Amino acid sequence: MPAKLHVDKLLDDPATKVIVCCGSGGVGKTTTAAALAARAAERGRRTVVLTIDPARRLAQSLGLRELDNTPRQVTVEGFDTEDRLHAMMLDMRRTFDDMVLAHAGPDRAEQILGNPFYQTISSSFSGTQEYMAMEKLGQLAADGSWDLIVVDTPPSRSALDFLDAPQRLSTVLDGRIIRLLSAPARAGGRGLLKIVGAGFGIFTKAISTIIGGQLLADASAFVQAFDSMFGGFRERAQKTYQLLRSPGTAFLVVAAPEPDALREASYFVERLATESMPLAGLVLNRTHPVLAKLPAGKALAAADELDRGGEAPLAAADELDRGGEAPLAAAVLRVHADRVAVATREQRLLARFTKAHPSVAVTGVPALAEDVHDLAGLREIGRRLAGE
Ligand SMILES: Nc1ncnc2c1ncn2[C@@H]1O[C@H](COP(=O)(O)OP(=O)(O)OP(=O)(O)O)[C@@H](O)[C@H]1O
Ligand SMILES: [Mg+2]
């Protein structure tokens, strides 16, 4: 059995300043982040949740109607957070623009913002979203008015992207490549091809839009204008990186009870350890526990069946079918057998994860009947996270 993750203890601890929800695509990061923030606010902490691409209905229920890039107070009738719950959606383009404005002089800023190459990078560059999420986290932390900042992470394929992308982006915007780009005349354009060939994957897309075109000049102008700001950028990225490593930060890895998601979670757990970043635990989201809604007597029987490997209901269904008298009961038993099989499989997957990472605390959240798109749903997820 894995150690239990005590979510309320984590949320109530004044030393917890930042919670980062990571995980591979579609596992429930945004839902978990919003649910944690709502619960923390209800429990008395002044909380802001930084969401990234929330589903429209969820955003609406948080009162987020537009990407305005600043925290908004969430007020919902009958929801006892007073003025403590705030939410925002990350506007990656605007965050990037603000950063340029803050670091470059007004003339230079204008030059950068108007540059087509900048516009490509700031709105469609893969890695930019992760970088800007960290930048925004840095800003919220510097603001100093929050007890707790809950951070959602971008919908990337891999959880590791959140940690890798900023580094890759700053490498791209850094020394060697800058020099290659800023000296197109000398390199005769070959420099760019060399970059592509060298496998700078995330740069390829931007590069391919500029190769052989007028945009080459834009790129060169852009990096030259940017060059003077790199000191500032690196410093900030470094500061945020330190914040992520500080004991006030807690990473939560969200995973679905599926082999791929759990494998991804494993990589992430190992990576956090390598980086000395504090892991709070694993959220196993959308589980299918058999005992969830059964009354006690039946639950016990089901538990017995589970122990026996879940064959009993199937055998009983076969028996009923042979008699041909109770087709409904046979169908119910088959559904039940199916659920037992799913639950057993999920437990086995979790056991494998726990065996590899015995010290990682875990909390499970069952799959709710419906998508989570309002405060009531978030509260329900919050209760499940806390193990209620
Ligand atoms: N425990 C749950 N029960 C039912 N529905 C859930 C649960 N957790 C998440 N969902 C639903 O699953 C969908 C995906 O969840 P969510 O958006 O939180 O995932 P995500 O990890 O943020 O995805 P992405 O990687 O695309 O950002 C949403 O529609 C959400 O309402
Ligand atoms: Mg999301």
Side-chain angles (χ1 to χ4, degrees):
M1 279 291 276
K4 178 86 193 126
L5 173 63
H6 295 288
V7 167
D8 283 345
K9 224 166 110 189
L10 182 70
L11 295 179
D12 292 348
D13 186 348
T16 310
K17 300 285 183 204
V18 175
I19 295 178
V20 186
C21 298
C22 295
S24 42
V27 290
K29 300 178 290 293
T30 304
T31 307
T32 303
L36 288 171
R39 191 166 177 93
E42 278 193 297
R43 297 174 70 84
R45 302 196 75 196
R46 189 172 156 76
T47 308
V48 61
V49 56
L50 167 57
T51 63
I52 296 169
D53 285 349
R56 232 172 74 102
R57 286 178 72 189
L58 178 64
Q60 281 172 348
S61 73
L62 291 171
L64 302 172
R65 276 176 191 81
E66 57 198 54
L67 278 167
D68 64 1
N69 218 23
T70 49
R72 296 277 161 209
Q73 189 175 319
V74 180
T75 36
V76 174
E77 198 86 23
F79 196 64
D80 186 23
T81 61
E82 289 169 19
D83 59 350
R84 292 187 298 267
L85 181 60
H86 295 69
M88 63 167 286
M89 289 191 270
L90 179 74
D91 181 338
M92 116 178 136
R93 173 66 195 272
R94 194 130 146 217
T95 305
F96 211 151
D97 287 358
D98 288 349
M99 204 159 84
V100 170
L101 285 166
H103 286 268
D107 291 351
R108 204 182 279 277
E110 203 178 306
Q111 199 184 330
I112 294 173
L113 297 181
N115 186 302
F117 185 74
Y118 168 77
Q119 290 164 359
T120 304
I121 285 202
S122 62
S123 51
S124 65
F125 203 46
S126 72
T128 305
Q129 208 170 26
E130 282 83 357
Y131 193 99
M132 291 309 137
M134 283 208 192
E135 166 68 20
K136 200 74 209 175
L137 165 61
Q139 287 172 17
L140 290 170
D143 183 27
S145 58
W146 310 104
D147 295 337
L148 178 66
I149 304 168
V150 185
V151 186
D152 176 22
T153 52
S156 12
R157 191 189 54 78
S158 159
L160 293 173
D161 285 353
F162 180 67
L163 293 176
D164 286 334
Q167 185 57 38
R168 291 207 313 262
L169 184 62
S170 59
T171 305
V172 163
L173 296 176
D174 207 349
R176 195 156 65 99
I177 297 171
I178 294 298
R179 278 197 302 280
L180 282 167
L181 276 172
S182 340
R186 199 185 60 219
R190 285 202 317 278
L192 283 175
L193 290 173
K194 224 158 81 195
I195 297 171
V196 177
F200 289 93
I202 66 166
F203 215 39
T204 316
K205 196 165 148 235
I207 292 289
S208 65
T209 66
I210 60 164
I211 272 189
Q214 144 72 21
L215 283 177
L216 184 59
D218 294 335
S220 166
F222 164 73
V223 290
Q224 275 166 21
F226 236 59
D227 213 15
S228 60
M229 298 165 40
F230 282 134
F233 274 3
R234 260 201 306 270
E235 220 170 85
R236 289 171 78 82
Q238 199 57 36
K239 226 169 132 188
T240 308
Y241 186 73
Q242 289 310 332
L243 173 68
L244 291 178
R245 291 178 68 166
S246 72
T249 297
F251 280 87
L252 281 179
V253 185
V254 185
E258 298 290 337
D260 287 352
L262 276 167
R263 201 173 306 123
E264 189 67 37
S266 269
Y267 292 145
F268 197 76
V269 164
E270 285 155 24
R271 177 66 185 281
L272 287 179
T274 315
E275 307 258 356
S276 316
M277 287 183 176
L279 171 73
L282 173 79
V283 174
L284 197 62
N285 187 33
R286 303 192 100 150
T287 60
H288 300 84
V290 166
L291 308 183
K293 294 229 164 67
L294 293 177
K298 280 190 191 161
L300 279 179
D304 285 348
E305 278 153 19
L306 247 185
D307 289 345
R308 285 199 297 269
E311 294 299 324
L314 265 188
D318 286 347
E319 183 81 37
L320 282 172
D321 277 346
R322 272 195 294 277
E325 286 146 28
L328 189 61
V332 168
L333 280 168
R334 282 187 202 288
V335 168
H336 176 62
D338 202 45
R339 294 208 57 146
V340 170
V342 171
T344 308
R345 177 172 170 273
E346 291 178 353
Q347 279 165 6
R348 210 174 289 134
L349 285 167
L350 177 61
R352 197 179 302 157
F353 176 90
T354 300
K355 195 168 168 216
H357 306 283
S359 62
V360 176
V362 179
T363 188
V365 177
L368 303 186
E370 275 183 56
D371 269 4
V372 184
H373 49 70
D374 56 14
L375 264 299
L378 289 179
R379 250 179 169 171
E380 174 71 14
I381 295 285
R383 279 193 289 271
R384 302 311 187 107
L385 279 164
E388 274 179 13

